[in-house]
């Protein structure tokens, strides 16, 4: 059960798991209450896509209100209108096990199982730090305990997220399983070998710092731009940023004001970021927080040296506290600049960083999820 198919990191993780499970012979449905993106499809016919129709929220509220205190607050979620369709799906398909992702999906799926009178096993997965939610959404945190107590298993994508979930739910840490995301696959390595049609990636030009992600405040690309201005004062280099988002025009304006118009390229969303990673010297992550940071794993698997903020909580776990890349304080442009200069001059051996990235394989994650889904 997936909250949406908008192409974000959670969606890509669930789709990778669905591909892996389907390729092992399991019958898999990917269920989503929204049809907004174009990512829910299987090139290998490994799973089926199910999009839930929207129905009356009043009908949904009647069930939610009986099941949990203050259930009316779930009306704030767009998924609520899909609750009756979810019930119909569960009663018709009667799945053996369900993996849910995201707080709303976790809560409503566990409630739907109860209303439908099924004994389907539910594994609720959490991909981000819930304690970082806005104080205005404090009510949402109370739902965490609901899905933790109702689910048969609770999984977090990093040890940091697992600790956060356990603390908020008031349950022992050992009740939350940590399973790293299914990031690296043979397809990733094949795509990394593809050519890049951009002049900066041709020949023996200046070294490239690459970054990628949604252009929104949590990713703090503004700090990265300020750091890169310092890098440019020391080394001839270029910065390439992949991704789109609401801050794109603001960030492009900041780059111009910093005098970086000729050395920074915003290339938008790229279906194959791995080819860029494989041809960059350094990959930079400037985030203020990350549940795991799949993009850091991808960069390592492609052979790029990583410089990342030491944000909660994924980068430090991925980089083994700095053994496989550089960690700098969150929001510290000076420290980021110094680390970038150091790694541009002395990148880590590609074989070395690839060995760490290749730890986070799809097969390893599928094995772990199968142990939880069918204990």
């Amino acid at each position: 059960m997936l909250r949406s198919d908008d192409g974000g990191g959670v969606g890509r993780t669930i789709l990778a798991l669905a591909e892996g499970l389907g390729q092992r012979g399991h019958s898999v449905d990917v269920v989503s209450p929204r049809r907004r993106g174009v990512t829910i499809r299987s090139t290998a016919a490994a799973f089926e896509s199910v999009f839930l129709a929207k129905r009356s929220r009043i009908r949904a509220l009647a069930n939610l209100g009986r099941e949990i205190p203050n259930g009316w607050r779930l009306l704030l979620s767009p998924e609520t209108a899909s609750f009756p369709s979810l019930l119909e799906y569960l009663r018709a398909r009667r799945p053996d096990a369900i993996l849910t992702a995201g707080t709303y999906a976790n809560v409503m799926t566990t409630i739907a199982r109860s209303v439908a009178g099924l004994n389907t096993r539910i594994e609720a997965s959490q991909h981000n730090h819930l304690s970082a939610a806005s104080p205005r959404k404090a009510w949402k945190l109370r739902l965490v305990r609901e899905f933790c107590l109702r689910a048969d298993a609770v999984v977090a994508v990093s040890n940091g997220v697992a600790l956060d979930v356990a603390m908020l739910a008031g349950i022992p840490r050992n009740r939350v399983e940590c399973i790293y995301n299914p990031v690296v696959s043979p397809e990733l390595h094949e795509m990394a070998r593809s050519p890049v049609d951009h002049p900066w990636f041709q020949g023996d030009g200046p070294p490239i710092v690459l970054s990628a992600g949604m252009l929104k405040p949590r990713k703090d690309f503004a700090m990265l731009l300020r750091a890169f201005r310092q890098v440019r004062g020391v080394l001839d280099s270029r910065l390439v940023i992949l991704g789109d988002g609401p801050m794109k025009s603001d960030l492009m304006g900041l780059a111009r004001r910093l005098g970086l118009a000729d050395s920074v390229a915003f290339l938008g969303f790229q279906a194959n970021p791995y080819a860029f990673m494989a041809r960059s010297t350094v990959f930079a992550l400037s985030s203020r927080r990350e549940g795991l940071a799949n993009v850091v794993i991808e960069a390592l698997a492609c052979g790029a040296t990583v410089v990342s903020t030491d944000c909660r909580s994924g980068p430090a776990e991925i980089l083994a506290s700095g053994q496989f890349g550089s960690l700098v304080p969150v929001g510290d442009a000076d420290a980021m600049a110094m680390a970038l200069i150091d790694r541009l001059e002395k990148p880590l051996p590609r074989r070395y960083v690839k060995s760490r990235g290749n730890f986070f394989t799809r097969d390893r994650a599928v094995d772990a999820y199968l142990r939880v889904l069918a204990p």
Side-chain angles (χ1 to χ4, degrees), residues 12 20 30 34 39 42 109 132 178 196 205 220 222 245 247 264 274 322 366:
R12 292 196 304 273
V30 176
R34 300 181 188 174
T39 59
S42 174
T109 305
C178 174
V196 173
D220 206 1
M247 293 191 66
V264 176
Y274 316 123
V366 169

Side-chain angles (χ1 to χ4, degrees), residues 96-119:
D96 296 319
I98 302 174
L99 168 63
T100 65
T103 304
Y104 288 118
N106 291 340
V107 173
M108 290 209 297
T109 305
T110 55
I111 293 173
R113 176 185 63 176
S114 176
V115 174
L118 302 178
N119 59 359

Side-chain angles (χ1 to χ4, degrees), residues 188-352:
L188 181 151
H189 291 300
E190 182 179 352
M191 294 172 70
R193 292 190 287 270
S194 300
V196 173
D197 185 20
H198 189 280
W200 288 2
F201 292 87
Q202 315 300 321
D204 297 322
I208 292 174
V209 176
L210 180 73
S211 192
M214 288 288 292
L215 306 185
K216 54 186 179 181
R218 181 166 66 89
K219 301 297 184 179
D220 206 1
F221 285 105
M223 183 274 281
L224 179 59
L225 288 171
R226 292 192 295 271
F228 187 68
R229 179 176 62 175
Q230 298 183 46
V231 175
R232 284 282 296 168
V234 177
L235 292 176
D236 183 17
S237 54
R238 288 164 172 166
L239 172 63
V240 173
I241 297 176
L242 309 181
D244 288 309
M247 293 191 66
K248 186 171 185 176
S249 60
D250 291 342
L251 291 169
M252 293 178 70
L254 176 60
R256 288 192 296 270
R257 292 192 299 274
L258 293 173
L260 299 174
D262 295 333
S263 56
V264 176
F266 293 85
L267 301 187
F269 171 80
Q270 297 290 327
N272 181 10
Y274 316 123
F276 292 85
M277 293 173 179
R279 290 160 178 78
S280 300
T281 303
V282 172
F283 182 88
L285 184 83
S286 50
S287 296
R288 298 173 186 171
R289 68 178 187 275
E290 291 282 349
L292 181 63
N294 288 356
V295 71
V296 169
I297 297 171
E298 293 166 345
L300 291 173
C302 292
T305 294
V306 171
V307 174
S308 173
T309 50
D310 191 11
C311 62
R312 299 172 60 200
S313 57
E317 292 186 39
I318 297 167
L319 299 177
S321 299
Q323 182 179 346
F324 293 95
S326 299
L327 294 165
V328 302
V330 173
D332 191 333
D334 294 339
M336 174 64 77
M338 291 177 61
L340 289 174
I341 292 168
D342 180 55
R343 289 309 186 186
L344 285 168
E345 293 180 330
K346 297 176 293 184
L348 293 171
R350 286 187 172 265
R351 182 177 296 181
Y352 178 71

Side-chain angles (χ1 to χ4, degrees), residues 62-211:
N63 286 314
L64 295 173
R66 283 196 298 267
E67 285 289 323
I68 62 172
N70 298 321
W72 62 270
R73 288 191 179 274
L74 285 169
L75 283 175
L76 298 177
S77 164
E79 288 87 345
T80 304
S82 301
F83 186 81
S85 295
L86 176 59
L87 279 176
E88 292 173 4
Y89 168 81
L90 292 178
R91 286 167 173 158
R93 292 285 286 172
R94 305 182 71 85
D96 296 319
I98 302 174
L99 168 63
T100 65
T103 304
Y104 288 118
N106 291 340
V107 173
M108 290 209 297
T109 305
T110 55
I111 293 173
R113 176 185 63 176
S114 176
V115 174
L118 302 178
N119 59 359
T120 299
R121 181 174 176 80
I122 292 181
E123 178 205 308
S125 67
Q126 188 59 43
H127 294 248
N128 294 293
H129 291 93
L130 291 166
S131 61
S134 165
R136 292 175 298 177
K137 294 186 177 180
W139 62 269
K140 181 179 174 181
L141 303 183
R142 292 195 290 272
L143 297 177
V144 176
R145 185 170 179 81
E146 289 291 336
F147 78 70
C148 284
L149 294 178
R150 290 169 181 261
D152 298 287
V154 181
V155 169
V157 299
S158 69
N159 284 300
V161 171
L163 184 62
D164 190 65
V165 171
M167 178 189 68
L168 291 171
I171 60 177
R173 167 62 183 82
N174 61 13
R175 277 266 291 117
V176 185
E177 182 93 11
C178 174
I179 302 178
Y180 291 125
N181 286 339
V183 180
V184 181
S185 65
E187 292 83 4
L188 181 151
H189 291 300
E190 182 179 352
M191 294 172 70
R193 292 190 287 270
S194 300
V196 173
D197 185 20
H198 189 280
W200 288 2
F201 292 87
Q202 315 300 321
D204 297 322
I208 292 174
V209 176
L210 180 73
S211 192

